[in-house]
Amino acid sequence: MKKQHIKQRNIYIFLITLSLIGLISGALYYEFQPNTIKTDITNKLNIQEELNNRVNNLPKSIKESSSILLNSVLIIPSIINIFNIFYNPFKIGFLYNVLKTYSLKLSIIYILIYQIIPYLFQLILTKISITLIYSIIKKLIYYKKESFNRIILLLKKYFIISIFLFIYEILIIIISKNINSYLMTFL
């Protein structure tokens, strides 16, 4: 049991380290851009129009959750899951610095509500998918009944976390008008 906790901890340490590297890289990437490119980015972003629209990330969330599971079951494409652990924080860091040009509060609130919380759910789903890959390989090699039970348990966990993510996205759809009107006060 203790050995399994160490494996779990090592997976989380790896995922969090990769996420932090992506976050810092995204923030630094924006900072090292010339001022002309920075102004082009802020002009093309048009944050006021973006905030006037309701945010509906539910289809995107369903697609990402199902792709994480599909990639983990197919084993070889699971590298895509690891790449997304770097790429999504990269986008968050980049977007944070872009929005920081408008307002620090706007940037923090927008990134926290619309980016970081869904990303944390995806991080947990990716961790479960990595454990699922390991269990599937173990099942194929050793053919133990415990491996099959572990796979079923991991799939249940995966679907429960996915349901929480969907509920969160539905809540965001409902209250996004209020959040966006509050964020408009910072512009």
Side-chain angles (χ1 to χ4, degrees):
M1 189 72 164
K2 187 174 182 179
K3 194 175 190 182
Q4 187 172 352
H5 286 294
I6 291 171
K7 285 181 188 178
Q8 302 278 334
R9 186 178 57 187
N10 290 341
I11 292 171
Y12 274 123
I13 288 171
F14 170 73
L15 294 176
I16 290 171
T17 303
L18 195 59
S19 296
L20 288 174
I21 291 170
L23 187 69
I24 292 168
S25 299
L28 291 176
Y29 181 73
Y30 178 78
E31 288 299 319
F32 289 132
Q33 297 300 315
N35 286 333
T36 56
I37 293 177
K38 287 180 183 178
T39 55
D40 284 346
I41 291 170
T42 54
N43 290 340
K44 288 181 182 178
L45 183 63
N46 198 1
I47 190 70
Q48 289 179 337
E49 182 181 315
E50 193 70 30
L51 289 176
N52 282 332
N53 298 327
R54 280 191 168 213
V55 175
N56 185 358
N57 288 332
L58 193 58
K60 178 184 167 191
S61 175
I62 292 171
K63 180 184 154 217
E64 287 177 354
S65 295
S66 60
S67 71
I68 289 172
L69 180 63
L70 183 66
N71 289 339
S72 68
V73 171
L74 295 177
I75 298 173
I76 293 175
S78 63
I79 297 169
I80 295 170
N81 289 343
I82 304 298
F83 175 74
N84 284 335
I85 292 300
F86 173 81
Y87 181 67
N88 289 336
F90 182 89
K91 289 190 311 188
I92 291 170
F94 187 83
L95 186 60
Y96 171 77
N97 272 349
V98 170
L99 293 176
K100 196 169 67 170
T101 60
Y102 294 104
S103 168
L104 181 63
K105 275 188 176 180
L106 167 79
S107 180
I108 291 171
I109 294 170
Y110 184 87
I111 293 297
L112 180 68
I113 293 173
Y114 292 122
Q115 300 290 323
I116 291 178
I117 293 174
Y119 175 72
L120 290 176
F121 281 115
Q122 291 173 359
L123 187 70
I124 293 168
L125 290 175
T126 303
K127 186 261 171 208
I128 293 171
S129 75
I130 290 171
T131 310
L132 184 63
I133 293 168
Y134 177 73
S135 296
I136 290 172
I137 292 172
K138 193 174 178 182
K139 170 76 174 154
L140 291 174
I141 293 174
Y142 299 118
Y143 196 73
K144 292 184 178 179
K145 180 139 176 88
E146 303 88 43
S147 298
F148 184 72
N149 292 338
R150 178 88 174 135
I151 291 170
I152 299 296
L153 178 68
L154 288 169
L155 287 173
K156 286 179 183 177
K157 283 182 183 179
Y158 191 91
F159 288 120
I160 289 171
I161 300 296
S162 296
I163 289 170
F164 282 127
L165 175 61
F166 301 146
I167 290 170
Y168 176 77
E169 292 295 346
I170 290 170
L171 287 174
I172 289 298
I173 292 169
I174 293 169
I175 63 172
S176 66
K177 184 176 181 183
N178 295 335
I179 294 169
N180 291 348
S181 63
Y182 176 69
L183 292 175
M184 289 287 280
T185 61
F186 297 116
L187 296 177

